[in-house]
Structures are given as C-alpha cells and as structure tokens.
C-alpha cells in the first residue's frame, strides 16, 4: 500500500480532477486490502499473525478515513476543490497544544512529508495472568514516553487520558476483558510535554484453553493530524455556507432596495401637459449583469415637476450590493427633492457632488440630469462623467455634445456646465448608463454606441417608447454583460 497517500501534503489548491482521482485510487486500494484481509489464513495463536491481521484492519480503517476526508473536501469547497489550510486547531482542554508538524509529537524532528504510515502506529499486549505488558517502540514514541520508563499497565493508562475520554477507554477495555468484545474506538491523551494526541485503538482479547481472557492485544494509531484536517474541512465548509448565506441575504436586500427606489411605473409613462408643448412618452428598463450577484447602483427616473417641466435622469454609482444600492437610493432621493424644488441641472449636479463627498461610504458616480420645458420644447441638461444622450431625428441618430462635468465624488467644489437643445415632435432620446454600450476595447471603444445608433431605422418605425426599449433590449440584453445597465427612451409626441 503506497504510504504517500497518508503523508502530509502542503496546503495548495488541487486540480479540478485531482480529488476525484484520489477518491477512485483510495477505493481501489481499500478493495485490494480488504481482499487480502478476507482471504488470508492466519493462526490465531501466533502473535505475529495477529499483528499482521491488525495491520490489515488498520489499513482498511485508514483508507475509510481517507475516503471520507476526500469526500468532505470535494463537497465542501466551491467550484474547483481546494485543499484545506493546515490549521493548528487545539483540542479542548486547558493548556492543550497540537503539534505544528506531524512527528514533533514523538519528541524528535518532524518526519519527511513522505513518511511511512507505520511511524504513527504502535502495538501493545497486556497479559492478565502474568501482569506482563509489552509495547512496541512506536507506541513509546506516540505516548512521548522513553522506553526506560517501561510500558504502562491498564491501570496506569487512564492517567494520560483526557478526563472526559476516560469512560470511553474504560468501557472498551471492560467490554473486551469481560465480554470478549473487540476494541474499536478513539480517545485523547495528554503527553508529559503537554501535547495532545488523538489515538484510535483496535484490539481483541486472547482466550486461554478454558475460554477465559488471558490477555488483550491492541493496535493504536495516532490520528491527530487526520482529525485536525477533518475539522479544518468542516470549518471551511461551515464558513463557506455562512458566506453564501450572507451573500444571498445581501443580494435579496439589494434587489428589494433597488426595486423600491427605481420608478414604480412599468411600460410607458406619458407626460401630457395642458399647454401648447408636445407631450412626452417615456419608458425605461434595467438590465442585470451576467452574475445575478452584481446588483449595482444604476438608476433611471422620470418625474413630472410642479411647474410643468419633466425630470429625466440616469446614473451609475461604483460598487455592487447593498452598499451601492443604498448610496444610489440616497443620491436619487436627493436628486428628486432638489429637482422638485426647482434647482437647475448644472447646480443640481454640484449639490450631488458635495453630497457624495460627505457620504459615510465614499463612492464615485456618473450621472445625467435633464429638465424638459414643454412650453419652449427645450431640454436643459448637465452630466457628471456620463455618456451623452443620443438624439434620433428623421431616421438618423447622433450623440449630443456634452457640457463639462467630472464624475460625482471625484473632486471638491466641481462646477458643472449646462447645455440646451430644442426638441421637435417625433424626436427620440435614448439615455443610458455606460454598462449598456461598454465594449471590450477600453474607454476608446465606441462599438456599443455605434450599435445603438444603428437601431435608428427600427426605432423610427416603433409604435411607442416601450416598443423602442424592447428593440434596445433585444440588441443588447441577450449577450452576457460584466456590469448592470439602465436605458430610458423618451419620445416627443
């Protein structure tokens, strides 16, 4: 049986198929060893044969433990399996310490990483008729006991065992000596140097001619490192499940917050003014990122103002999750309030910049704020590092010239220019966040904007703003995107 399967390995992520391959190899070895154990014909009275049989039993135990450990590792890690970290997790008990290296428990230097399984296995036999006790050399090393001190009797053995584990040892020994039951169990010892080791003990009674127990033999193996690794796997799995629970909760909160803040209207929104100006037909849509966990700070909004004007705005804050959506909610709420109060787009951008500077959670954001005056049929707008609106007229589209304006939160005291454009009946505006048209070629890649402008013939034949939004989503919504995006279409009636 290859000993390298049980040697300590450095904590490093295995290849995706490595764990499955190790599980398969372990199963094959387990079957081979079990076949040897089942088919072997051994003389029960020969101590050497008892020792050989014990080694077969031990190998089966070890392979079963290894298989269980690998299975835990496979199901406990996300995506590709990853080896658990080599943690020094102490056993319970005052002053308990675990060795940082296997083999240090034996009072000498740590063995090589390719050390043998047998270096952690020892045997013992207690003769009840003569009170003789024999320990193998390995067992002295496991207990941290010098051979000159001699082996420990069954009465002395509990003195090194954890108080809470002493009943376990007592029950195993009693059942073996009195009822003739085999021994199979674990207990922890505290060595004279204060180190704690977990031992797995297997054994059987040896009967005399009258069927009475004459002696008891046992094989003890040090499973401290294996149990420690299993705890590390369990803790890693529990930590992973906890993180996933937190991520699901944060995602749900972010979605609920976003849905509460974004416009309540669905479909088209009509701004029908009583004056001479043309009404507006408005529709918007939110496009999520390819990863549903990336709920960001994108927004769109349209609002009828008390003086008869219409507020049109889109924006995007950096970051994702609850932090981004909560900052977006704060910013959009302030934007709505200032617009209702009559603050013009350029000054409004300046106020938002100061608000973002003093926010508890610093962030950067791009935004565009438009105010449409239906009486003059004029759109006044300002932007903060945001893509310009696209104006479609007579079957062709172009981007409006942007007035100056830096990202929100980028600099103190920034000033934002304001631009005006006259809109005609039949004109169509597309306002969007950069996640919609962002290409893979960096900031200079305008392929997404050109794709959007190429939709001009389809948009010209659309029935309403909502139909235009559907065309945009059909063009951009199917392909996986790294970031979320918003689009809003405004058609002048």
């Amino acid at each position: 049986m290859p000993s390298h399967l049980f040697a300590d390995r450095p904590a490093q992520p295995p290849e995706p198929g490595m764990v499955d391959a190790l599980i398969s190899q372990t199963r094959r070895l387990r079957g081979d060893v079990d076949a040897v154990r089942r088919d072997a014909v051994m003389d029960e009275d020969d101590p050497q044969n008892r020792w050989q049989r014990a080694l077969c039993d031990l190998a089966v135990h070890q392979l079963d433990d290894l298989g269980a450990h690998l299975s835990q590792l496979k199901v406990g890690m996300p995506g590709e399996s990853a080896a658990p970290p080599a943690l020094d997790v102490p056993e319970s008990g005052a002053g308990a310490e675990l060795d940082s290296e296997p083999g240090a428990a034996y009072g000498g230097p740590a063995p090589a990483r390719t050390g043998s399984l047998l270096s952690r296995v020892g045997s013992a036999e207690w003769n009840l008729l003569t009170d003789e006790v024999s320990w193998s050399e390995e067992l002295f090393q496991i207990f941290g006991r010098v051979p000159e001190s001699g082996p420990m009797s069954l009465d002395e053995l509990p003195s090194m065992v954890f108080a809470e584990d002493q009943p376990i040892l007592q029950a195993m020994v009693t059942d073996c000596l009195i009822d003739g039951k085999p021994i199979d169990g674990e207990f922890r010892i505290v060595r004279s140097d204060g180190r704690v080791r977990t031992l797995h003990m297997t054994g059987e009674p040896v009967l005399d001619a009258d069927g009475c127990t004459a002696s008891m033999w046992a094989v003890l193996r040090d499973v401290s490192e294996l149990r420690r690794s299993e705890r590390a796997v369990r803790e890693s799995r529990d930590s992973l499940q906890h993180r996933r629970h937190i991520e699901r909760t944060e995602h749900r909160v972010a979605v609920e917050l976003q849905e509460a803040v974004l416009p309540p209207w669905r479909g088209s929104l009509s701004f029908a003014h009583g004056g001479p100006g043309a009404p507006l037909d408005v529709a918007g849509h939110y496009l999520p990122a390819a990863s549903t966990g990336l709920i960001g700070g994108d927004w769109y909004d349209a609002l009828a103002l008390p003086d008869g004007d219409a507020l049109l705005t889109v924006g995007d804050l950096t970051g994702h999750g609850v932090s981004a959506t909560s900052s977006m909610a704060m910013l959009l709420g302030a934007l709505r309030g200032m617009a209702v109060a009559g603050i013009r787009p350029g000054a409004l951008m300046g106020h938002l910049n100061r608000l973002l500077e003093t926010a508890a959670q610093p962030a950067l954001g791009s935004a565009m704020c438009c105010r449409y005056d239906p009486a003059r049929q004029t759109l006044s707008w300002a932007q903060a590092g945001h893509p310009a609106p696209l104006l479609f007229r007579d079957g062709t589209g172009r981007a409006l010239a942007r007035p100056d304006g830096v990202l929100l939160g980028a600099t103190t005291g920034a000033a934002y220019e304001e631009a005006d454009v006259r809109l005609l009946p039949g004109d169509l505006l597309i306002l969007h966040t950069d996640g919609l048209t962002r290409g893979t070629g960096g900031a200079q890649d305008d392929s997404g904007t050109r794709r959007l402008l190429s939709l001009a013939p389809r948009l010209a034949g659309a029935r309403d703003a909502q139909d235009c939004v559907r065309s945009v989503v059909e063009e951009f919504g199917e392909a996986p995107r790294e970031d979320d995006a918003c689009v809003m279409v405004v058609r002048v009636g």
Side-chain angles (χ1 to χ4, degrees):
M1 179 172 51
S3 61
H4 69 274
L5 283 177
F6 307 102
D8 294 290
R9 295 179 178 271
Q12 57 183 359
E15 294 296 326
M18 184 181 296
V19 174
D20 287 332
L22 287 173
I23 290 175
S24 298
Q25 186 177 3
T26 302
R27 288 173 178 169
R28 289 195 300 271
L29 287 173
R30 205 274 190 196
D32 293 343
V33 174
D34 195 45
V36 172
R37 180 181 62 171
R38 185 176 59 251
D39 297 339
V41 178
M42 298 183 178
D43 183 356
E44 295 292 336
D45 296 328
D46 187 342
Q48 181 63 29
N49 285 341
R50 289 203 305 270
W51 169 247
Q52 292 174 358
R53 185 181 63 184
L55 284 179
C56 287
D57 292 339
L58 175 64
V60 169
H61 273 293
Q62 191 82 8
L63 288 165
D64 286 342
D65 281 343
L66 180 60
H69 179 65
L70 290 170
S71 297
Q72 284 183 337
L73 182 62
K74 180 181 179 182
V75 303
M77 297 297 165
E80 296 180 2
S81 300
L87 302 175
D88 270 346
V89 183
E91 299 275 5
S92 59
E97 295 179 4
L98 277 178
D99 306 307
S100 59
E101 291 287 346
Y106 308 141
R113 288 290 182 177
T114 56
S116 170
L117 166 64
L118 296 182
S119 65
R120 303 182 198 175
V121 179
S123 64
E125 184 164 2
W126 290 272
N127 191 309
L128 305 182
L129 302 180
T130 63
D131 289 332
E132 291 181 88
V133 182
S134 62
W135 276 19
S136 69
E137 180 181 348
E138 294 81 9
L139 196 57
F140 281 100
Q141 294 176 347
I142 291 173
F143 275 81
R145 187 177 176 89
V146 295
E148 292 75 16
S149 300
M152 302 179 73
S153 67
L154 289 176
D155 293 333
E156 295 173 320
L157 192 59
S159 64
M160 295 187 66
V161 177
F162 262 58
E164 53 265 43
D165 291 354
Q166 289 178 7
I168 299 175
L169 176 62
Q170 182 179 359
M172 287 192 299
V173 173
T174 301
D175 289 345
C176 180
L177 297 181
I178 297 178
D179 299 329
K181 295 181 179 179
I183 295 173
D184 191 350
E186 288 186 11
F187 56 88
R188 291 164 297 172
I189 63 170
V190 183
R191 295 166 18 134
S192 59
D193 57 12
R195 289 172 175 155
V196 176
R197 308 307 293 175
T198 300
L199 307 184
H200 184 260
M201 183 176 180
T202 58
E204 290 182 357
V206 178
L207 306 181
D208 60 16
D210 298 326
C212 299
T213 301
S215 64
M216 184 185 80
W217 64 268
V219 172
L220 295 94
R221 61 176 176 139
D222 185 342
V223 295
S224 304
E225 309 305 327
L226 177 62
R227 297 297 176 254
R228 182 169 59 178
S229 296
E230 290 173 345
R231 284 195 302 275
V233 171
R234 288 195 300 270
E235 290 168 2
S236 297
R237 184 174 62 247
D238 293 344
S239 176
L240 173 64
Q241 292 173 347
H242 180 64
R243 288 197 303 270
R244 285 176 174 170
H245 174 72
I246 292 176
E247 290 170 357
R248 287 194 297 267
T249 301
E250 289 184 346
H251 179 263
R252 185 182 69 251
V253 171
V255 170
E256 292 174 354
L257 182 58
Q258 184 189 62
E259 291 177 347
V261 173
L262 291 181
W265 44 269
R266 296 294 184 267
S268 292
L269 178 67
S270 178
F271 291 87
H273 303 281
L280 297 181
D281 179 24
V282 182
H285 189 75
Y286 172 80
L287 293 87
S291 171
T292 56
L294 297 179
I295 300 297
D298 288 46
W299 80 78
Y300 67 94
D301 196 17
L303 183 67
L305 301 176
D307 61 0
D309 288 358
L311 169 70
L312 307 168
T313 178
V314 293
D316 178 16
L317 287 183
T318 56
H320 298 92
V322 175
S323 175
T325 51
S326 60
S327 296
M328 178 266 287
M330 173 197 69
L331 211 62
L332 184 54
L335 190 154
R336 288 167 173 167
M338 287 186 284
V340 168
I343 298 177
R344 302 294 299 177
L348 194 152
M349 288 287 106
H351 290 308
L352 291 183
N353 182 61
R354 286 189 288 275
L355 180 62
L356 206 56
E357 286 177 7
T358 59
Q361 297 174 335
L364 294 175
S366 70
M368 175 170 50
C369 180
C370 305
R371 192 179 184 102
Y372 176 68
D373 181 348
R376 296 190 303 124
Q377 296 185 350
T378 300
L379 184 80
S380 300
W381 67 288
Q383 62 85 29
H386 199 84
L390 302 183
L391 174 61
F392 293 81
R393 179 180 291 171
D394 299 329
T396 60
R398 64 181 176 88
L400 298 181
R402 294 197 311 173
D404 288 341
V406 299
L407 286 171
L408 299 176
T411 183
T412 302
Y416 295 85
E417 293 185 354
E418 193 171 307
D420 294 333
V421 59
R422 182 175 174 79
L423 299 181
L424 304 177
D427 283 354
L428 186 141
L429 285 172
I430 293 184
L431 285 63
H432 65 89
T433 57
D434 63 355
L436 179 70
T437 57
R438 183 183 297 128
T440 59
Q444 304 303 318
D445 186 354
D446 64 347
S447 59
T449 300
R450 286 188 276 106
R451 284 174 60 196
L452 197 51
L453 290 173
S454 69
L455 296 178
R458 292 170 58 183
L459 300 179
R463 294 186 303 272
D464 52 21
Q466 183 63 33
D467 199 22
C468 294
V469 167
R470 291 192 189 97
S471 296
V472 173
V473 172
E474 287 174 2
E475 178 68 23
F476 291 91
E478 298 299 329
R481 63 184 65 258
E482 295 181 0
D483 198 3
D484 51 354
C486 287
V487 60
M488 188 163 66
V489 173
V490 181
R491 192 162 76 168
V492 182

